[in-house]
Amino acid sequence: MSSFAYADFMSVNADQAFLHEAPSGSTKKSFIVTKGYPLEVIVSLKEWKKVKDHEGLINWIKTIDLSSKRTVLNLNSDNPIYLEPSSASPILAKVNENVTLELLDAKKIDNWVKVYSKVGDIEGFIKATDLWGIK
C-alpha cells in the first residue's frame, strides 16, 4: 500500500502541476499549482488524487506530482513566526499572505504548530488558526 493512503494533506512536489476536472490527462486543466502548495486529499486512486485547495475548490491531480511532505499556507498578511509557542515570545519573522511554510510537526501545542520558512532559514511557531493545511 502506498505511503499516501492515509494522508489528509499532501504538498505539490513538481515545480508546476496541473489540476484537472477529472482523473484523466485529457480533461480540462483547471489550475496550475506550484511546488510546496498544500492540498487536502479527498479520494485516492492509483494514479490520481481528488483534492481540495484552500478556497474549497475540488479538482484532480496526478499522484506523481504530490509529496507526503507537509506544508501549510499562511492565510494572513504579516503573520508572525515566534521563537516559542507563545505570542509573548520574540518574533523571528513575519510571513506574507498565501506563502507556504514547511510543517515540521503536525502536533499542536495550545493551537501553535512548528514551521520552517525557506526565506531567512527560519524555524519557529505560528498559530494553527492562521494556516490552511492542518486540522
Side-chain angles (χ1 to χ4, degrees):
M1 185 167 276
S2 104
S3 61
F4 302 144
Y6 299 105
D8 288 334
F9 289 94
M10 299 180 78
S11 63
V12 175
N13 192 38
D15 288 335
Q16 290 185 337
F18 291 102
L19 296 179
H20 296 262
E21 288 185 343
S24 168
S26 64
T27 62
K28 182 180 176 188
K29 296 172 183 167
S30 303
F31 298 99
I32 296 176
V33 287
T34 56
K35 191 169 189 154
Y37 186 81
L39 293 165
E40 183 175 9
V41 177
I42 299 170
V43 174
S44 292
L45 303 178
K46 185 176 180 180
E47 296 179 14
W48 292 88
K49 302 278 188 248
K50 187 176 190 178
V51 294
K52 181 168 55 170
D53 69 13
H54 76 284
E55 294 180 339
L57 299 175
I58 296 174
N59 288 283
W60 291 85
I61 189 169
K62 291 181 182 178
T63 299
I64 197 165
D65 290 335
L66 292 173
S67 168
S68 58
K69 185 177 190 176
R70 292 288 305 273
T71 60
V72 289
L73 186 69
N74 179 47
L75 299 175
N76 300 319
S77 61
D78 293 329
N79 199 10
I81 296 177
Y82 294 92
L83 179 63
E84 298 294 330
S86 165
S87 55
S89 177
I91 295 173
L92 301 175
K94 290 194 177 182
V95 183
N96 291 330
E97 186 176 2
N98 294 324
V99 169
T100 58
L101 301 165
E102 184 178 340
L103 184 63
L104 296 178
D105 190 349
K107 183 180 176 187
K108 294 179 189 174
I109 303 169
D110 294 328
N111 201 38
W112 295 86
V113 290
K114 192 169 189 178
V115 296
Y116 172 75
S117 172
K118 289 181 185 178
V119 177
D121 191 31
I122 295 167
E123 190 174 300
F125 293 85
I126 196 166
K127 285 269 192 185
T129 52
D130 295 332
L131 305 172
W132 187 87
I134 188 163
K135 291 187 178 188

